[in-house]
Each structure stands twice: as structure tokens, then as C-alpha cells.
């Protein structure tokens, strides 16, 4: 218990640099919340006193995900789910890790579970929609993203996801309007601007052209959302 925290972090840096960076983030958050630094002895004592191991694994998985170490994160989330199968945080974490790893077929089962159990979590629904879209179930992806849009109509990333699914299903005209709406909500959404420009080139339109086509697209998008 007398090992200085700085020495522990130095050792962690040698073994897993991303985990060391995540540990520093955690320590900084603790200091901001509690007004003092966390010691290594306190951390070990908390675990010994019976802190929930499943939630601890989820927290560790979140740290790994935040630093792009999706494989390590996936192992922690799955270990937490093995301990507590109904732990929604672990299921969502597993889904996020699988999406980051682009292992979409493997993610299908957990995506269905998350859709059923966390249907009011917009971020989770975005992951579910991506999994469905990447496993050739565009209709299911559209349904899930329409629900996400009802929950968060002002989030440009939801609109961008709707546009991506329409593009994946081969309807570039339908894909354009959600991208336009996303940029209207957030003019600094650079990734969406790039995607919109590409869609307009494919459709043979300029950014200011095609009034009748845009009207048709608005009707299609409104109809898709209203019917969901």
C-alpha cells in the first residue's frame, strides 16, 4: 500500500500506455469531484471492500474505448456481462466496442438486445442502426434511426446517420436532405459537409440547384420519419 502512485503509473505506462493515459484521466476526474487526489492505497482498498466488480469492469472498458483500445475494452465488457447478463451498461459497451472494431455480424445479437432494453438511449440506437445497416438490414436501420431522431431531433449526427443509411441503400437523392438538415443544425459539421458534397456530385447537382428534387426529398424524409 506504500507504493507511490507515480511509480504505479510509470509501470502502467510501460505495460499499456493507453491504460496509463486513461488512469490519469480517471484520477483527474476524481480530484475535480472530491477536491483531493486519489491514492493507490485507496484504490486497492475500495476494491477489497467489495466495490461492484461488474461496474468496475464497465468503467475500465469505457477508459479503453475512450483511448481507442477497442479489443481490450471488449474483453472487459464481456467479462462484466458474464457476471451480470442484464447489465445494460456492459451490453452497450460491448456493442460500441464491436462497432469500433467493425465486427458487425458478431454484434447483431447484442444490437438486438440493446434495441429492446435501451430504446431511449440515442447513442446506443446510433450503434444499433450502424450494425443493422452494415449487415444489409436497411429497413431495420431506418426504423431505429427514425426513433433516435424522435428522441433527439436537434442532433446532427442522427441526421447524418439517416443519410448514410439511405446512401447505403442506393438512394442518394434521399440521402442528401438529412445531410443538409445536419449542416443547418451545425455549420461546423465538417464530415457531413464532405459527405454532402460527394452525394451532390454523384447526383449531378450543385449545392443550390434542384428545387423540385429537394421538395421530393423532403417529402420522402418526412414520410419515412412519420411512418416510423
Amino acid at each position: 500500500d506504500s507504493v507511490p502512485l507515480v511509480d504505479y503509473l510509470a509501470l502502467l505506462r510501460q505495460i499499456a500506455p493507453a491504460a496509463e493515459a486513461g488512469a490519469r484521466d480517471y484520477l483527474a476526474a476524481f480530484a475535480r469531484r472530491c477536491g483531493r487526489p486519489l491514492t493507490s492505497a485507496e484504490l486497492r482498498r475500495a476494491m477489497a471492500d467489495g466495490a461492484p466488480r461488474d461496474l468496475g469492469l464497465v468503467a475500465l472498458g469505457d477508459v479503453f474505448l475512450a483511448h481507442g483500445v477497442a479489443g481490450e475494452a471488449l474483453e472487459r465488457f464481456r467479462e462484466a456481462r458474464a457476471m451480470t447478463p442484464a447489465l445494460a451498461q456492459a451490453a452497450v459497451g460491448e456493442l460500441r466496442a464491436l462497432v469500433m472494431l467493425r465486427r458487425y455480424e458478431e454484434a447483431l445479437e447484442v444490437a438486438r438486445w440493446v434495441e429492446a432494453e435501451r430504446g431511449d438511449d440515442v447513442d446506443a440506437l446510433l450503434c444499433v442502426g450502424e450494425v443493422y445497416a452494415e449487415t444489409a438490414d436497411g429497413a431495420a436501420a431506418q426504423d431505429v434511426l427514425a426513433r433516435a431522431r424522435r428522441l433527439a431531433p436537434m442532433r446532427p449526427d442522427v441526421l447524418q446517420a439517416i443519410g448514410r443509411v439511405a446512401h447505403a441503400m442506393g438512394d442518394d437523392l434521399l440521402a442528401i436532405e438529412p445531410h443538409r438538415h445536419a449542416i443547418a443544425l451545425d455549420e461546423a459539421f465538417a464530415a457531413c459537409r464532405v459527405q454532402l458534397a460527394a452525394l451532390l456530385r454523384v447526383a449531378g447537382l450543385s449545392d443550390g440547384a434542384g428545387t423540385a428534387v429537394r421538395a421530393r426529398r423532403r417529402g420522402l424524409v418526412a414520410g419515412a420519419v412519420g411512418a416510423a
Side-chain angles (χ1 to χ4, degrees):
D1 288 344
S2 61
V3 177
L5 189 59
V6 64
D7 292 342
Y8 172 76
L9 291 171
L11 178 61
L12 190 59
R13 186 186 311 120
Q14 297 176 27
I15 300 170
E20 185 261 346
R24 289 189 182 279
D25 288 346
Y26 179 82
L27 291 168
F30 180 91
R32 286 194 300 271
R33 181 180 291 270
C34 301
R36 64 175 181 82
L38 182 72
T39 68
S40 56
E42 286 175 323
L43 181 59
R44 289 193 294 272
R45 187 159 54 247
M47 296 301 295
D49 288 343
R53 180 164 170 74
D54 52 359
L55 293 177
L57 288 165
V58 169
L60 185 57
D62 285 338
V63 167
F64 278 122
L65 266 190
H67 289 83
V69 192
E72 292 285 348
L74 180 60
E75 291 183 14
R76 304 307 181 275
F77 292 132
R78 283 181 166 170
E79 187 177 349
R81 289 195 78 197
M83 297 177 64
T84 312
L87 185 61
Q89 299 99 309
V92 172
E94 180 180 353
L95 178 62
R96 289 169 58 212
L98 287 168
V99 166
M100 187 177 290
L101 292 166
R102 303 185 65 82
R103 288 157 58 174
Y104 297 111
E105 292 288 346
E106 191 176 341
L108 262 175
E109 182 178 352
V110 67
R112 294 182 181 118
W113 191 95
V114 168
E115 181 188 4
E117 299 297 328
R118 293 292 292 267
D120 59 348
D121 183 333
V122 174
D123 291 313
L125 291 176
L126 285 174
C127 285
V128 172
E130 183 172 346
V131 169
Y132 289 167
E134 293 291 339
T135 53
D137 194 347
Q142 286 180 322
D143 288 345
V144 167
L145 294 175
R147 189 190 316 169
R149 188 181 185 188
R150 288 196 298 271
L151 291 167
M154 302 303 289
R155 278 187 53 168
D157 55 338
V158 174
L159 288 160
Q160 182 189 30
I162 291 171
R164 281 201 303 261
V165 170
H167 171 65
M169 295 178 69
D171 193 336
D172 288 334
L173 291 179
L174 183 59
I176 289 171
E177 197 64 22
H179 284 85
R180 289 185 185 276
H181 285 312
I183 293 169
L185 290 172
D186 183 358
E187 293 185 356
F189 202 168
C192 199
R193 285 187 175 278
V194 171
Q195 291 172 351
L196 176 59
L199 288 167
L200 289 169
R201 283 197 300 272
V202 170
L205 299 172
S206 66
D207 198 33
T211 302
V213 174
R214 286 199 297 273
R216 171 181 171 269
R217 288 194 303 266
R218 290 191 189 98
L220 287 170
V221 171
V225 174

